[in-house]
Amino acid sequence: MSSQSAAPRGTAPHGTAPHGLDDAVRVGLGALLAVLAALAAMAVTAALGLWAAGAADLPGGAFWRVVAAVVVLAAGGDVGLAGGAGALARTDAELTAMPLSVSLAGALVLAAGFLRPLRHRAVASAGELLARAAATAALWLAGLAAAASLARRTFTDLLPADSPADLLGDLLDASPSIGFRADVGSTLLYGLLWVAGVLLLALLVSRRAPLPARLLRYQEPVRPAASAMLSLLLAYVVLGLAVGLVVAATRGHPADTFAVLLLGLPNLVWMALGLGIGASWEGRVEGPFGLPMPHVLDQVLRGPEDTTLDVRSLAAQDGRAWWLIPVAALLLLAAAFAMAARSPARTRLWQHALHLAVAFAATLLVVIPLTRLDARLGLSLLGIFEVEALGGRVSLHPHLWSAVGLALLWGAAAGALGGLLARRVRRPGEAAPPPPPGRGG
């Protein structure tokens, strides 16, 4: 009797795709647990961040609806703002932002849950990977639809009591209201792209996840570079978290700092990575309010016209901004060294440069647009004057293609230097040096 026929019924030989109803149930249960864990991680992160920002005091139990809206935004969904102010007034509101702390928490948990059942496999068929991805995506969209249905609320009584605007609003029956509502259709479309991107990146970055046999030859040039880029992004997050904790402990207003850390830490640190290589943004902050951001950013951007945000303009307000350049160079070189050390020994120096240049440019092409920010709120009465107490705007738009071009240059230089430094490290495919001969010959 062969070893395969002697195997217990219902099991599959090692390295082959699972079959049968039991395996389908197991795949579905694993996908359900991964999705629930990811949504829970996002909801907890969003709730803690909003609580630190003071949103727990919202009236009428609106806090959890705001949490649902933040989860929808973090998953790439669409949450629109709308307002009203009676027949003689007009409101104007807009919000385009992605709370990347919440996104990162969900992406890491979802990717870990997706890869965990595959960790002991050497090869997986394309059909199996697609089935697992489809089950995860379907359950993810179901959870996202539930969050989108909860993410809706309208707030009234926004004008400060006893203010001239409040008195005029009562006389003209122009009490303003503002609300938010998730668009379920576009949320599901963008949410599908989000989950597909997370699962694809999980397979690209993981060094142990199985691939179909025909794709194994592509993992040598792709996975070391992809893993190095993930390490670079996470290193910036860890460094930013350490800086944020120091700021919270030493400079007062810890709640505001924790709100930034829990909602928008990657937005800031990945912007710092771009600034460190010479990229720039265009933006402005005007009005009596602004979104939580470091004070130096508010100083640079505050004004009636758009301002260029780069290392030079930051350094004009705080000379420590120049440190962004050596930090970017050092961490990128470390990522290049890690990539080269994990690459096959036969990889040439120009290939290291090419791989890191492409990987770094692709990374910034993905993460830089996520730092875009647009928030606007305005109220005008009779179309004559603006109510300044409720008017304001925050905008921040990256110069994307110049950042990608700079990433190509920095990646090529760091990749070549990292390849040189890694020549002293034994790499995959390289034979170990023979042991020294003994004294007896």
Side-chain angles (χ1 to χ4, degrees), residues 113-409:
F114 176 73
L115 294 176
R116 181 175 174 78
L118 302 171
R119 65 191 184 280
H120 297 309
R121 302 278 298 280
V123 178
S125 67
E128 180 190 1
L129 292 178
L130 287 175
R132 291 182 181 275
T136 303
L139 292 169
W140 177 260
L141 292 181
L144 197 57
S149 65
L150 184 64
R152 57 187 65 185
R153 183 74 180 188
T154 300
F155 300 95
T156 56
D157 300 327
L158 299 176
L159 289 173
D162 300 327
S163 68
D166 180 43
L167 176 60
L168 187 56
D170 290 339
L171 293 174
L172 299 177
D173 190 22
S175 298
S177 64
I178 188 72
F180 62 89
R181 183 186 184 94
D183 186 307
V184 177
S186 58
T187 293
L188 294 182
L189 174 60
Y190 295 130
L192 178 60
L193 297 176
W194 187 91
V195 69
V198 168
L199 299 184
L200 178 60
L201 289 174
L203 289 174
L204 288 177
V205 169
S206 174
R207 291 182 291 160
R208 297 182 179 180
L211 292 175
R214 68 181 64 181
L215 298 180
L216 290 177
R217 59 180 176 175
Y218 297 110
Q219 67 179 349
E220 288 186 352
V222 172
R223 278 186 165 173
S227 178
M229 289 299 97
L230 177 63
S231 299
L232 176 66
L233 295 179
L234 293 181
Y236 262 88
V237 171
V238 172
L239 182 60
L241 178 61
V243 172
L245 292 177
V246 171
V247 170
T250 60
R251 296 194 178 180
H253 306 289
D256 293 341
T257 302
F258 280 111
V260 174
L261 295 179
L262 290 165
L263 295 176
L265 176 59
N267 301 67
L268 295 174
V269 297
W270 294 344
M271 186 189 305
L273 170 60
L275 291 170
I277 67 168
S280 61
W281 278 252
E282 201 82 15
R284 77 168 76 170
V285 175
E286 59 180 348
F289 72 94
L291 295 182
M293 62 176 60
H295 183 60
V296 64
L297 288 182
D298 187 271
Q299 287 180 309
V300 173
L301 298 176
R302 185 163 294 277
E305 297 180 352
D306 286 352
T307 303
T308 298
L309 174 67
D310 55 18
V311 173
R312 186 182 300 275
S313 61
L314 279 176
Q317 301 293 334
D318 189 336
R320 292 171 296 181
W322 292 114
W323 281 101
L324 293 176
I325 299 175
V327 168
L330 182 61
L331 292 181
L332 184 59
L333 181 58
F337 176 82
M339 179 200 71
R342 294 169 182 168
S343 298
R346 63 181 179 275
T347 306
R348 299 178 180 178
L349 202 60
W350 68 266
Q351 291 175 313
H352 288 307
L354 177 63
H355 293 167
L356 194 68
V358 173
F360 191 33
T363 299
L364 291 197
L365 186 61
V366 172
V367 302
I368 291 295
L370 300 181
T371 64
R372 179 190 172 192
L373 174 61
D374 274 301
R376 184 175 70 251
L377 176 63
L379 170 67
S380 62
L381 296 176
L382 296 174
I384 299 174
F385 67 91
E386 299 286 333
V387 180
E388 294 184 358
L390 284 179
R393 176 182 177 182
V394 181
S395 66
L396 194 62
H397 297 171
H399 296 151
L400 177 60
W401 294 112
S402 63
V404 172
L406 289 166
L408 284 171
L409 297 176

Side-chain angles (χ1 to χ4, degrees), residues 46-113:
L48 291 175
L50 290 170
W51 174 78
D57 298 329
L58 291 173
F63 176 74
W64 291 108
R65 293 185 179 271
V66 177
V67 170
V70 171
V71 171
V72 169
L73 287 172
D78 185 12
V79 177
L81 298 181
L88 299 177
R90 179 176 60 86
T91 59
D92 183 24
E94 177 188 359
L95 176 63
T96 302
M98 196 166 185
L100 290 181
S101 293
V102 181
S103 302
L104 182 62
L108 292 177
V109 173
L110 184 64

